[in-house]
Amino acid sequence: MAGGGSAIRGSRVGAGPMGEAERGDTAPRQRVVFFCANGHETATVFAVEAAVPEAWDCPRCGLPTSTDVNNPPPPTKIEPYKTHLAYVKERRSATEAAEILEEALEKLRARRARGEVIF
């Protein structure tokens, strides 16, 4: 017969979780509340000796948060995907692009004049 069993096998009724006497004392803690631009509050607990971060991500909407209720950080700007051509246009002017194109075309014309196969 297969055992269906209990998930708490080996414990007795009334036995509570391990107490501090068996694990040691917990570190002193502080509760820090963060606020996002959508008005959400996020309470997080840190050890007293731990450094509290300046910003935290809101678990409800994902926006950045801060501890200043009157001045939460603005939403981060999400830039759209840029193509390779967009990055090239940022680095080169239109005259530089025309010069590079003309140079490449001259090379192709020279190869064709010599009878090379171009793919």
Side-chain angles (χ1 to χ4, degrees):
M1 181 170 182
S6 169
I8 55 173
R9 180 175 286 177
S11 65
R12 62 180 168 75
V13 174
M18 290 178 39
E20 288 185 2
E22 294 152 358
R23 287 186 291 174
D25 294 331
T26 57
R29 298 173 186 198
Q30 62 179 333
R31 184 174 181 265
V32 180
V33 181
F34 293 93
F35 304 92
C36 76
N38 286 340
H40 301 137
E41 288 185 22
T42 303
T44 308
V45 178
F46 294 96
V48 171
E49 58 203 33
V52 177
E54 296 281 328
W56 197 261
D57 288 338
C58 179
R60 291 180 65 190
C61 63
L63 291 177
T65 64
S66 72
T67 55
D68 185 2
V69 67
N70 297 321
N71 193 18
T76 55
K77 184 178 178 185
I78 299 172
E79 300 216 8
Y81 174 77
K82 288 185 182 178
T83 63
H84 175 70
L85 181 59
Y87 284 109
V88 170
K89 286 182 177 180
E90 285 180 359
R91 295 191 315 261
R92 306 260 190 236
S93 68
T95 56
E96 287 177 317
E99 290 172 6
I100 293 171
L101 177 62
E102 188 56 40
E103 183 180 318
L105 289 173
E106 286 176 15
K107 287 181 184 178
L108 283 173
R109 289 178 188 129
R111 288 176 62 186
R112 279 190 181 163
R114 290 192 304 260
E116 292 183 31
V117 179
I118 300 172
F119 293 100

